[in-house]
Amino acid sequence: SLCKKPEYVQGEIITNGSKRSLRARLMKLLPCSGAKKPAAQTQNSVEDELELSAVRHRPEGLEQLEAQTRFSRKELQILYRGFKNECPSGVVNEDTFKDIYSQFFPQGDASTYAHFLFNAFDTDHNGSVSFEDFVMGLSILLRGSVQEKLNWAFNLYDINKDGYITKEEMLDIMKAIYDMMGKCTYPILKEETPRQHVEIFFQKMDKNKDGVVTIDEFIDCCQNDENIMRSMQLFENVI
Amino acid sequence: MAAGVAAWLPFARAAAIGWMPVANLPMPVAPTEKNKRQDELIILNVSGRRFQTWRNTLDRYPDTLLGSSEKEFFYNEETREYFFDRDPDVFRSILNFYRTGKLHYPRYECISAYDEELAFFGIIPEIISDCCYEEYKDRKRENAERLMDDNEDNKDCKLPNMTFRETMWRAFENPHTSTMALVFYYVTGFFIAVSVITNVVETVPCGATPNQKDMPCGERYTEAFFCMDTACVMIFTVEYLMRLFAAPSRYRFIRSVMSIIDVVAILPYYIGLVMTNNEDVSGAFVTLRVFRVFRIFKFSRHSQGLRILGYTLKSCASELGFLLFSLTMAIIIFATVMFYAEKGSTSSKFTSIPASFWYTIVTMTTLGYGDMVPKTIAGKIFGSICSLSGVLVIALPVPVIVSNFSRIYHQNQRADKRRAQKKARLARMRISKTGSSSAFLHSKRNGLLNESLELTVRTGKTMSLLESQHHHLLHCLEKTTVRSYQLKGPTVGVGTGIIKNHEFMDEQLYEQSYLETALQSYPSRSPSLSSQGLTGTCCSRRAKKSSQLPNASAATSGLQELSAINIQCGDPPLSTSRSSLNMRPDDPPRLNCQSGQITTAIISIPTPPATTPDGDGHTLPNPSVQNIVKVSAL
């Protein structure tokens, strides 16, 4: 499966015990060393394991999700089955998220963009995307109003979530998008292409030329752009 | 895992909304699902056992039987289920493949039965996951060897119209084919023995005559031994010439080991004939006679055990080399040590390091002749260490050689046993057949033979929805970045049957190219032309470069999911129909715009170099041509 199993925690246990390991090794060589110390260790590790194996996430009930999102019951069922099949533990962490997204863009490097995307989906910023996060994100993207979609896009671009898109943030996003294309493109990708694209973007969006784009400028500008409006409707029928 | 792609595609497409505000160009139209089916349970009835699964699960692998429309052939209207008249136990593994994306090989299954089921359901065995792949390969190799042995036995039967030369060669190689060959076999064997015994007896002192001292028999009865030698050499020469004449490939025969042994065995005699009693060279001539002992190797044609021993030594060459190397190292080390240890003692036999070599070898092999013995205390200590380590160094590689010999020997034994059993088996089968032949004739008369269903190859298969959606996604990315994917790879002029003027065609083409590891053949096309000239960057495509992925390290894991597994199936006997179904023939252009026939991850273009369909598709691609079957891991 693509998702990390709870065993990743074993690494933590080992690092905690490294201070004791040398002494423990010497004690092991002596025939009469007490078994008390190792027992305590194993007890701790067993407890830790129990705790961490409970990282399995169970989503809220179907009715609640139906109320919170715009998916029908059947759609939620299909989505959950696919999600659970890929991630039996119920949550996706960032590495697996990057893996999944990279599968679609094998010729480029999709990890940076996947990182931004992960942050956009992980609304409560706890480092993992549960099924609720996933389905709420999808609900906005596929069934939301244009306003909501633009909001979501703004949230994606605004990396530090301060309400403004600066040129640096936009440049990061742009580079991430261009990275996905990879090196073999036609015409060849040059160093300043993302920067130029960012300039064009800011020229279009930044109405008051203060160097940042606010949410209102963004939404206004997008609503006036026919191309963007049309492309927002593009993925209506994905599910 | 390939299953992941199908499940996550909707998510990736939804996330593409993130590009939209950034893009300056209009996005391409999304493919629509023509007949959108709600996900439903389908029932697969395999010989009575019912399996149920979601339709989506099966759709994950569209170029297998269950994932494609081919399963409609097996749909049973009355019971509203798909019925397959196959083994339900093997089907379990196959269905698990769809569910988990991993194909496992159950160890208790017969390998050929499993292969047949895989071929029927259109799954290539290379997809078998790592946990079971080794086992599968081993069993397959064993089976193939066994079948090969049986085939070799079949060659023993006499073919009609063999030339005299071929008959002779067969007689030489397999003495049990005819009586003449057997006689020849035994006669040569006898003369080899005689010759070897003669050589040995020649040197035995024959008893002293009154007037001369003890001399070897060879010098006493010179003429008798000379006559014996001449007779043997004549027989060997005749035999060699006959083999040379009969050999199918004389050049190869001359280079073979046995013929070299033959030549070396008889050459000293002729050299002796040529050379007269010249005093200078007679010394050298005497040493040449030692090569006569090579005649004993001619026995290896007669004894299988000798051949096996020789083969073992050859196959263990690396172990023997290791043994030799480690021994040499140890000898040098210990000889040096002993030399310096014994340097002090007077009248020491260890006069130099090379002189100490002899002591070291004798000690390490635990021979211990005692002609060289250390006298100092240090020398004795090191001498004992030397003998202890000698045992270890020699004992280590020996088990490897022994196990190799044992394996090869038993293989041979098994082959012989099988050959012996085969005749008995065939005889028994023949007997039973005659008993039931009347019943068979009865049933035949009653017309109980059913005709086999002929599977027709799918033509004009539309691209699955998954693939078209993935393409659309990549197309959107292109539009956002005002870039187009570059094809890399030399163009080979095959596959001109690909639809021209197709909106998605080129993207699919070059998407495939970087996904595949093999070189592909696509017509060179500029993608910007196909995008209705909106981008304004329409330049003609120039020569393509090689299709190396730029980000190989990052993308390898992802690539494994989406990459096409490129397999050459050279005319598999069972699965001709299956492999042809896996291949996508170049589809006729009657497909409409929305469906292409090449998919991103699934690349299945047959590249029969001879056939380049020009617009009209082939219904039955020629299975005898070597086909490159690519099946996606989707």
Side-chain angles (χ1 to χ4, degrees), chain A residues 20-36:
Chain A
R20 297 184 277 232
S21 66
L22 189 56
R23 222 172 64 177
R25 266 186 264 148
L26 285 175
M27 297 294 279
K28 256 200 290 187
L29 281 178
L30 300 174
C32 54
S33 69
K36 329 173 245 321

Side-chain angles (χ1 to χ4, degrees), chain A residues 217-235:
Chain A
E217 286 175 339
F218 183 74
I219 292 182
D220 270 334
C221 187
C222 288
Q223 279 176 335
N224 293 335
D225 187 330
E226 252 207 49
N227 277 340
I228 297 183
M229 281 291 111
R230 210 172 329 129
S231 56
M232 283 286 162
Q233 319 294 330
L234 204 55
F235 296 107

Side-chain angles (χ1 to χ4, degrees), chain B residues 97-111:
Chain B
F97 167 60
Y98 287 89
R99 292 180 180 139
T100 62
K102 289 201 194 149
L103 181 62
H104 293 281
Y105 168 60
R107 280 167 171 73
Y108 52 81
E109 284 291 338
C110 166
I111 185 76

Side-chain angles (χ1 to χ4, degrees), chain A residues 81 85-86 97 100 103-104 106-107 109 113 121 134 141 157 174 178 181 184-187 193 197 238-239, chain B residues 5 8 11 17-19 21-22 36 39 54 60 470 480-481 483-486 514-515 539 551 555 562:
Chain A
R81 281 205 297 270
N85 201 26
E86 296 307 310
F97 200 84
I100 292 167
Q103 285 179 55
F104 295 101
Q107 72 291 353
D109 177 20
Y113 188 71
F121 268 90
F134 179 70
L141 288 172
Y157 299 147
M174 205 60 78
Y178 275 91
M181 285 292 295
C184 330
T185 58
Y186 185 80
T193 318
H197 204 145
V238 163
I239 299 281
Chain B
V5 177
W8 292 96
F11 150 71
I17 292 210
W19 310 334
V22 174
K36 182 164 181 171
D39 198 15
W54 297 107
R60 283 188 193 148
H470 192 178
T480 309
T481 57
R483 290 279 174 290
S484 49
Y485 286 116
Q486 174 83 329
Y514 58 66
L515 285 175
C539 313
N551 221 342
L562 275 180

